[in-house]
């Protein structure tokens, strides 16, 4: 059992308290310090759409070291009340393969989200909504972006439904092209675009908390 809050000595890029949920700190991923958490999460069958099932610890480390070297893509760890709760990856759409699939606008920022396993307590109603609230606040207010872009796997209907209930507006289905480079390989991916503008995110009644 951990004796102190996770990564308590690391500076957060964003910190936010959500009524009825707790305090969430968003940290920049440290590939070495966070490796146990990252490898454990991405290796689970529930994370199959993340695309890293079957990778060794060294491969996961190399992936996040490469990500850490980029100016356009960033890995972020959400820590709720001292416990790791979610992995975010933000990126500049113009520097990503998604730019081949839609008309990128000024102020867009892309994101991928992986929620931590539920643990011994089982399902946790409201967790995804609260974490998405913190994430979108960080992106739209903390970073001053105008619109969040997501492109979940088309087969991940649960994620698409969650994003829609959070206020994201579904866009067209797309096919992300294969990327085959020495430093990274990404297979072709059938996905579904969705968008959340700053105005919609903070409109009265949004975001829902269920």
């Amino acid at each position: 059992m951990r004796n102190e809050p996770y990564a308590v000595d690391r500076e957060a890029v964003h910190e936010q308290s959500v009524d009825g949920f707790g305090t969430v700190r968003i940290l920049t991923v440290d590939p070495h310090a966070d490796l146990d958490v990252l490898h454990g999460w991405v290796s689970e069958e529930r994370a199959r759409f993340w695309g890293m099932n079957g990778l060794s610890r060294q491969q996961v480390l190399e992936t996040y070291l490469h990500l850490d070297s980029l100016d356009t893509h960033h890995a972020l760890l959400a820590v709720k009340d001292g416990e790791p709760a979610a992995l975010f990856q933000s990126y500049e759409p113009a520097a990503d393969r998604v730019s081949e699939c839609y008309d990128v606008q000024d102020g867009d920022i892309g994101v991928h989200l992986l929620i931590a396993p539920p643990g011994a307590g089982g399902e946790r109603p409201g967790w995804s909504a609260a974490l998405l609230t913190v994430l979108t606040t960080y992106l739209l207010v903390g970073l001053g972006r105008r619109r969040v872009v997501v492109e979940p796997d088309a087969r991940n209907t649960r994620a698409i439904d969650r994003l829609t209930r959070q206020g994201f507006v579904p866009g067209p289905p797309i096919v992300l092209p294969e990327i085959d480079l020495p430093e990274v390989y990404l297979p072709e991916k059938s996905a579904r675009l969705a968008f959340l503008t700053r105005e919609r995110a903070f409109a009265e009644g949004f975001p829902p908390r269920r």
Side-chain angles (χ1 to χ4, degrees), residues 19-80:
D19 289 344
F21 181 70
T23 299
V24 180
R25 302 174 69 234
I26 296 182
L27 314 174
T28 300
V29 162
D30 180 325
H32 289 282
D34 298 325
L35 181 58
D36 286 344
V37 171
L38 300 180
H39 182 256
W41 289 356
V42 303
S43 297
E44 293 200 355
E45 169 61 20
R46 64 186 294 278
R48 62 192 180 281
F49 296 120
W50 197 253
M52 298 180 73
N53 279 180
L55 295 190
S56 67
R57 282 173 54 85
Q58 183 62 32
Q59 288 172 315
V60 172
L61 175 61
E62 291 172 357
T63 297
Y64 284 96
L65 285 172
H66 171 67
L67 201 62
D68 193 47
S69 73
L70 303 176
D71 294 329
T72 55
H73 294 63
H74 304 281
L76 302 161
L77 185 70
V79 178
K80 175 198 176 291

Side-chain angles (χ1 to χ4, degrees), residues 26-188:
I26 296 182
L27 314 174
T28 300
V29 162
D30 180 325
H32 289 282
D34 298 325
L35 181 58
D36 286 344
V37 171
L38 300 180
H39 182 256
W41 289 356
V42 303
S43 297
E44 293 200 355
E45 169 61 20
R46 64 186 294 278
R48 62 192 180 281
F49 296 120
W50 197 253
M52 298 180 73
N53 279 180
L55 295 190
S56 67
R57 282 173 54 85
Q58 183 62 32
Q59 288 172 315
V60 172
L61 175 61
E62 291 172 357
T63 297
Y64 284 96
L65 285 172
H66 171 67
L67 201 62
D68 193 47
S69 73
L70 303 176
D71 294 329
T72 55
H73 294 63
H74 304 281
L76 302 161
L77 185 70
V79 178
K80 175 198 176 291
D81 296 334
E83 291 293 330
L87 173 64
F88 305 136
Q89 289 177 193
S90 66
Y91 62 90
E92 300 294 339
D96 190 87
R97 60 179 177 167
V98 74
S99 63
E100 300 184 31
C101 302
Y102 89 103
D103 183 18
V104 178
Q105 298 180 12
D106 290 341
D108 281 357
I109 188 165
V111 70
H112 303 293
L113 169 66
L114 178 63
I115 302 292
E123 291 298 319
R124 304 158 299 190
W127 270 61
S128 295
L131 289 167
L132 276 165
T133 295
V134 175
L135 172 61
T136 53
T137 300
Y138 168 61
L139 298 174
L140 296 171
V141 178
L143 297 185
R145 297 307 186 99
R146 296 173 57 191
R147 187 170 68 161
V148 180
V149 181
V150 293
E151 25 88 354
D153 191 293
R155 298 167 295 174
N156 194 351
T157 55
R158 184 173 181 178
I160 294 169
D161 178 65
R162 172 68 267 170
L163 291 163
T164 301
R165 285 186 283 129
Q166 193 75 14
F168 281 79
V169 176
I174 59 172
V175 177
L176 296 165
E178 178 186 54
I179 301 293
D180 191 1
L181 299 172
E183 64 274 14
V184 63
Y185 172 75
L186 296 171
E188 183 179 270

